[in-house]
Amino acid sequence: MKEKIDYAAQGTREQGLSGLQTLIVAAAAGLSVANIYYAQPLLDLMAHDLGIPPATVGLIVMLTQVGYGLGLIFIVPIGDLIDRRKLIIAQGLLLGIALVIVGAAETNAMLLAGMSAVGLSAVLVQTLVAQAAALATPAQRGRVVGTVTSGIVTGILAARSFAGTIADIGGWRSVYLTSAFITLVMVVVLMAMLPRQSAKRTVETYAHALLSIPTMFLRERSLLYRGVLALLIFAAFSTFWTALVLPLSAPPFSYSHTRIGLFGLVGLAGAIAATCAGRLADGGHGRWTTGCSLAILLSSWGLIALLPVSMVRLVVGVVLMDLAVQAVHVTNLSATVAFNPQKSGRLVGGYMVFYSVGSAVGAIAATTTYARFGWMGISLLGATFSAIALALWITSEISARINEA
């Protein structure tokens, strides 16, 4: 790997991030990532408005994740080569434009193109994560990543409540137009808060930086392991949240979109898990945090399967699922960035590609599975993803014990 000389923000890196800076980055990350999830409780409204068949409405979520995956590969790594502050501002402006396109869409093609653009530009959230991780000191990195991830979790889960409430008041289009306005305000705040950086001097080219991503993940087993775990846990996560609106909006429940969106608030416990997992990672307990969380994730599906019987047990299952997923996610991110903090953009981008693929697989599989097998099929699908992840962790631990012996 060619040497890269980076004089940008060296003083900030030595001092780390202040509490206020960390909170602002966390809030901006939450607002950015929320745009990927607004569609989940609105799928039936969007399908009815534009005449999209129910069995293929999952394409809306899937294409958003495809755009997100492309952004992770081609946009986030740019932050390792240029002033990441300028990249963040540009991404925020492009995200606002993409949201306006979705809100004004009159055809299926325009909607799907707009959603792909939202996903592509919403990788702003990962540029923010990479910036926070790069500027944090080693001693505070897990806590900083955990706090920013708490903001992301809050954004993901509050997105469903926000979308449901706004849609009931002004229709699904108003959700995206309102978010476009909020995004532009967020850009102004980031422009005022983010430190200006001196130019980065590097001998690496953009092509070389991109090609180094698969090389790092294929050569380093620990990075690949964390990436596959991300794919599996977010496939399970996306399976649940994509399918939830389908039974709850139909008889015998017939819940409003506001009420369905409130289920997102149940999962805010995941924000607590993110912060705690970050502190455990700083303390060297990442491996066992991952294993225990994966066991909890698998067990949560037994409660989630009881949706037709007990709403209370479903809620408990959602809390456990979100706690587990976010704990594994933060532990994964901390371990991944620690591999080489100076290449945080590429590492975060590469890791989140696995996340995006898992989310896309879960989304399209969920709508297809529900159409054919109902809620029990959804529960079995989510449990299968979770069981594979737990089996992978057990295999990894056995291998580590053998190597240590």
Side-chain angles (χ1 to χ4, degrees), residues 17 22 25-26 28-30 32-33 68 72 76 80 84 88 91 122-136 141-142 144-153 190 194 329-330 332-334 336-337 341 343-349 351-352:
L17 288 175
T22 303
V25 172
S32 301
V33 77
Y68 191 73
L72 291 171
V76 176
D80 290 344
R84 199 176 277 120
I88 288 171
Q91 284 180 274
V123 293
L124 167 61
V125 61
Q126 299 309 328
T127 308
L128 289 166
V129 172
Q131 180 75 327
L135 296 179
R141 184 167 293 119
V144 167
V145 171
T147 300
V148 175
T149 303
S150 293
I152 295 172
V153 174
L190 289 173
L194 290 174
H329 180 46
V330 170
N332 279 350
L333 268 177
S334 296
T336 300
V337 172
K343 297 175 181 175
S344 60
R346 275 167 278 189
L347 289 169
V348 170
Y351 168 80
M352 292 301 295

Side-chain angles (χ1 to χ4, degrees), residues 15 18 34 39 50-51 74 82 101 129 141-142 166 170 179 227 244 259 271 283 289 294 298 303 342 363 389 391:
Q15 298 172 2
S18 69
L50 296 175
F74 295 106
I82 66 172
I101 292 174
V129 172
R141 184 167 293 119
I166 298 299
S179 183
L244 183 63
R259 194 170 182 181
T289 299
L294 290 172
L298 178 58
L303 296 171
Q342 301 308 312

Side-chain angles (χ1 to χ4, degrees), residues 81-151:
L81 306 176
I82 66 172
D83 180 354
R84 199 176 277 120
R85 177 181 183 272
K86 293 180 180 178
L87 179 61
I88 288 171
I89 293 170
Q91 284 180 274
L93 293 174
L94 291 174
L95 177 57
I97 294 171
L99 289 166
V100 171
I101 292 174
V102 172
E106 294 294 340
T107 65
N108 292 353
M110 186 175 179
L111 173 66
L112 295 176
M115 293 303 295
S116 298
V118 166
L120 185 69
S121 49
V123 293
L124 167 61
V125 61
Q126 299 309 328
T127 308
L128 289 166
V129 172
Q131 180 75 327
L135 296 179
T137 64
Q140 70 172 181
R141 184 167 293 119
R143 177 175 59 80
V144 167
V145 171
T147 300
V148 175
T149 303
S150 293

Side-chain angles (χ1 to χ4, degrees), residues 79 88 92 174 273 297 303 306 396 399:
I88 288 171
S174 63
L297 175 61
L303 296 171
L306 298 175
S396 175
S399 177

